[in-house]
Amino acid sequence: MTQNDLGGRSRPRSTAITAVTAGSSAITTALCPADALVSANEVSSGNPTTTPPATTASRAHWPPRGRRCRVAASAPAASTAATTARPEPTNSGDIPPPTTTRVNGTVNENAATPTRPHPRPARDGDSTAARLSVALLLPLMSDDSSARIAAGVRDWVAAAAPGAKLPSTRALVARYAASPVTVQKALRTLAAQGLIESRPGVGTFVRAVRTTRPNDYGWQTAALGSPGFRATQRSTALRTTPNDVIALHSGYPDRELLPERLVRAAFTRAARGDAAVTRPPTAGLPELQAWFATELGAFGGAPPSPGEVVVFPGSQSALCTVFRALVGPERPLLVESPTYWGALLAAAQSGVRVVPVPSSAHGPDPDELARAFSRTGARAFYAQPNFANPTGAQWSPDLAEKVLDVVRRHGAFLVEDDWAHDFGITADPVPLAARDDGGHVVYLRSLTKSVSPAVRVAGIVARGPARERILADVEAVSMYVSGVLQAVALDVVTQPAWRTHRRDSRHRLAARRDLMVAALHEHVPAARLEAVPHGGLNLWVRLPDGTDLARLVRDCDAAGVVVAPGNEWFPAEPTGAYLRLNYSGPNPGAFPDGVRTVGSALARQT
């Protein structure tokens, strides 16, 4: 049965209905009969009655739910008055009664402040100080807990063996009745003190205390045995220097001589291409093989096919492979003297026996070369016909033909290192391989110095079984060259701006070279240049006899100038005191100051 079914009347109430009084009189209650109807808008006037008038709620307005519902302001009187008298009024306590306000049929009660303390905490501003005190105590309590845990774990660590595993965080939480955060704070404190170490995914361990003691590697002497070759000291050309030093020793061009914009763009494109996620062929990307073959074929003669090209990660790796595959351990290899220090290192690494052939600023003597072939039985000759490192020599066409004829007569290979192909200044390089169609010349061209030191890419052109030997060594040693680096190199050298960059580099290298030559004439008049190179990156400077080269290098270094001693380029004893000065290094404006320092150091020895 619902209220609507009762005609808008509520169910008969058997409970006492509280009559709220106005003023300061006590709250009184009176019981109503079980079947009495009470008006919702009637409030006692303060004096309890024994016969409260019965009322019925209006049917016109009856909200279904909610607190403090409104009812009709007037209602018809019940047909019969209540007959049950209310009991005597009772006092509910000594708390002053609330006041009441009647507004449009509703009663609003304003709570009064109790006269006795309430059991619940006060909520007014007086509790701020108490809450602040508790907040200030919490860090102290936490610090005290973490310190207590740290002290306990420290005692445990002191008794444990190095490398022992600490109990888990859960176990420490249970043991010290603390939160995981407090336990972790204590462990971090001990880790900062160097007592424990955390290994992610494994646990926390007692850190082993390392005692300083001399290293004893004597056992390796027996394990390694006699070395297959005597490694030379690290080349000065590879030395890195701070930017406040005048570097005349560098083996690589300065950034302003590189096609930096092309290189950066090529790397971006290569990273988006298939080369970033695929394995290239062992011999190299077909497109890059074709480029190397086309470049060599442009000089005439029998052009090589792309299949005769093998791509390497730089010329140093290529030289090691060629010496192993075509010469072999303990067999002789003829080299110019002086020659590229990297070739000497590659020969030593490969176990090849080096035989020097005298060479001047114009190249080797063909007669000396023929005698060396006959005397040693060598079957290979390593040479740099164009802008040799360190002398800068360029062979004349006549000399090139004579040397090639000697190689053919002895049934040998000529390993041509065309490292400076892109650094011609007043002359263009003409590869010796363009004159050969019988497979005698194994041609090597590197892009590392001309494109970027970060792009270590070189190509070898070899014909016949020699190519198969070389490729077999590549498969055993490096398997393949990074496809990204090959793609970058190919991108750079096939851009129209590449040829523009090479033309600009000619002028810049010429200005640098001439600046250093002029400084030598002015500040080191005792030095002698056998020839001003038509290309390349270096000047080969002969110092007066009796010069203490090691002392000169040390004095220059102490003055902030780094130079390369020439003895690093000789396969045997040097024939004199030489310096190799690089005019492609950084800060060319400081070249005169650097050369002046060399002259001052030399003058102190006379």
Side-chain angles (χ1 to χ4, degrees):
M1 180 177 295
T2 65
Q3 292 174 336
N4 290 334
D5 294 334
L6 296 176
R9 296 172 298 170
S10 63
R11 292 176 178 274
R13 301 182 182 180
S14 59
T15 60
I17 298 178
T18 304
V20 181
T21 61
S24 61
S25 58
I27 298 176
T28 58
T29 60
L31 297 177
C32 294
D35 57 350
L37 298 177
V38 182
S39 171
N41 61 349
E42 286 294 331
V43 179
S44 174
S45 62
N47 297 321
T49 62
T50 57
T51 58
T55 60
T56 59
S58 172
R59 190 182 181 94
H61 179 71
W62 190 268
R65 64 176 66 86
R67 300 173 59 187
R68 300 176 61 179
C69 301
R70 288 188 177 187
V71 296
S74 60
S79 58
T80 58
T83 58
T84 305
R86 292 183 178 179
E88 292 298 322
T90 60
N91 198 328
S92 61
D94 56 0
I95 301 177
T99 59
T100 61
T101 303
R102 179 170 181 170
V103 181
N104 293 334
T106 63
V107 179
N108 297 329
E109 296 185 0
N110 298 326
T113 302
T115 58
R116 293 189 302 185
H118 199 280
R120 296 180 61 185
R123 295 182 180 271
D124 56 10
D126 294 340
S127 64
T128 302
R131 291 198 300 269
L132 181 58
S133 300
V134 173
L136 291 175
L137 286 174
L138 285 176
L140 298 177
M141 295 170 61
S142 176
D143 289 345
D144 180 69
S145 299
S146 64
R148 174 174 55 87
I149 298 171
V153 176
R154 188 181 293 107
D155 294 339
W156 186 91
V157 168
K165 185 176 182 179
L166 270 68
S168 65
T169 300
R170 180 178 298 179
L172 294 176
V173 166
R175 178 179 300 178
Y176 292 100
S179 68
V181 175
T182 304
V183 170
Q184 290 295 333
K185 182 178 179 181
L187 295 180
R188 286 196 300 269
T189 300
L190 296 178
Q193 296 172 356
L195 299 178
I196 60 176
E197 58 183 353
S198 178
R199 303 173 190 171
V202 180
T204 305
F205 298 83
V206 177
R207 175 170 290 178
V209 179
R210 287 185 171 270
T211 58
T212 303
R213 57 184 179 82
N215 295 324
D216 182 12
Y217 300 131
W219 64 270
Q220 294 188 4
T221 302
L224 294 174
S226 179
F229 71 98
R230 287 290 178 183
T232 59
Q233 64 180 2
R234 185 182 179 188
S235 173
T236 307
L238 292 180
R239 177 180 170 183
T240 57
T241 57
N243 55 15
D244 59 346
V245 169
I246 301 176
L248 305 181
H249 70 295
S250 176
Y252 289 87
D254 187 35
R255 286 178 58 174
E256 72 171 20
L257 297 173
L258 301 177
E260 183 171 348
R261 182 180 59 84
L262 296 179
V263 171
R264 293 185 182 277
F267 267 108
T268 301
R269 286 188 286 268
R272 295 196 299 258
D274 294 339
V277 292
T278 56
R279 178 181 67 82
T282 300
L285 294 179
E287 299 85 354
L288 187 57
Q289 289 178 289
W291 182 84
F292 277 115
T294 302
E295 283 284 298
L296 181 56
F299 292 94
S305 68
E308 293 172 332
V309 177
V310 179
V311 179
F312 283 83
S315 62
Q316 195 65 26
S317 174
L319 289 175
C320 288
T321 291
V322 169
F323 294 162
R324 281 194 303 264
L326 304 186
V327 181
E330 303 300 329
R331 298 182 64 181
L333 170 68
L334 305 184
V335 299
E336 296 177 278
S337 180
T339 191
Y340 172 46
W341 66 266
L344 300 177
L345 180 61
Q349 179 70 44
S350 305
V352 172
R353 180 166 56 90
V354 173
V355 178
V357 176
S359 183
S360 67
H362 306 287
D365 183 345
D367 295 334
E368 288 289 343
L369 179 63
R371 283 192 289 269
F373 270 120
S374 301
R375 184 179 71 253
T376 63
R379 290 295 180 264
F381 173 44
Y382 168 77
Q384 304 170 81
N386 291 288
F387 317 134
N389 181 6
T391 63
Q394 184 180 27
W395 298 1
S396 65
D398 182 62
L399 176 61
E401 194 61 45
K402 289 179 179 179
V403 170
L404 190 55
D405 183 62
V406 171
V407 170
R408 293 190 182 111
R409 286 203 319 265
H410 288 85
F413 293 102
L414 191 153
V415 181
E416 179 182 6
D417 188 351
D418 197 12
W419 72 277
H421 186 89
D422 299 316
F423 298 123
I425 298 177
T426 56
D428 292 319
V430 178
L432 205 66
R435 301 169 180 266
D436 173 59
D437 58 1
H440 287 279
V441 178
V442 176
Y443 176 75
L444 168 61
R445 180 177 174 185
S446 174
L447 297 175
T448 301
K449 287 184 173 64
S450 56
V451 173
S452 169
V455 184
R456 292 197 58 82
V457 171
I460 276 191
V461 179
R463 294 180 168 95
R467 188 257 186 191
E468 301 305 320
R469 291 278 187 97
I470 291 172
L471 187 59
D473 189 88
V474 170
E475 292 176 343
V477 176
S478 60
M479 301 182 71
Y480 56 86
V481 181
S482 166
V484 171
L485 295 183
Q486 293 187 68
V488 168
L490 179 65
D491 189 317
V492 171
V493 298
T494 54
Q495 293 290 332
W498 167 247
R499 296 191 179 276
T500 303
H501 162 75
R502 288 182 59 187
R503 286 195 300 269
D504 292 342
S505 295
R506 278 178 173 262
H507 301 297
R508 294 182 181 182
L509 286 174
R512 287 164 166 262
R513 180 200 62 186
D514 295 343
L515 179 64
M516 186 171 287
V517 169
L520 283 169
H521 288 323
E522 179 180 358
H523 301 296
V524 196
R528 181 166 59 91
L529 276 175
E530 295 183 354
V532 176
H534 297 290
L537 307 176
N538 313 296
L539 295 180
W540 187 238
V541 182
R542 174 70 183 266
L543 301 177
D545 294 338
T547 300
D548 187 343
L549 188 59
R551 175 188 167 188
L552 177 71
V553 171
R554 289 195 304 269
D555 290 346
C556 290
D557 193 76
V561 178
V562 182
V563 294
N567 51 15
E568 297 180 3
W569 278 263
F570 284 93
E573 291 79 10
T575 57
Y578 287 89
L579 288 179
R580 194 206 70 165
L581 302 181
N582 187 295
Y583 51 78
S584 69
N587 192 13
F591 287 175
D593 292 335
V595 174
R596 183 184 298 110
T597 299
V598 174
S600 299
L602 182 62
R604 288 194 293 269
Q605 295 191 20
T606 59

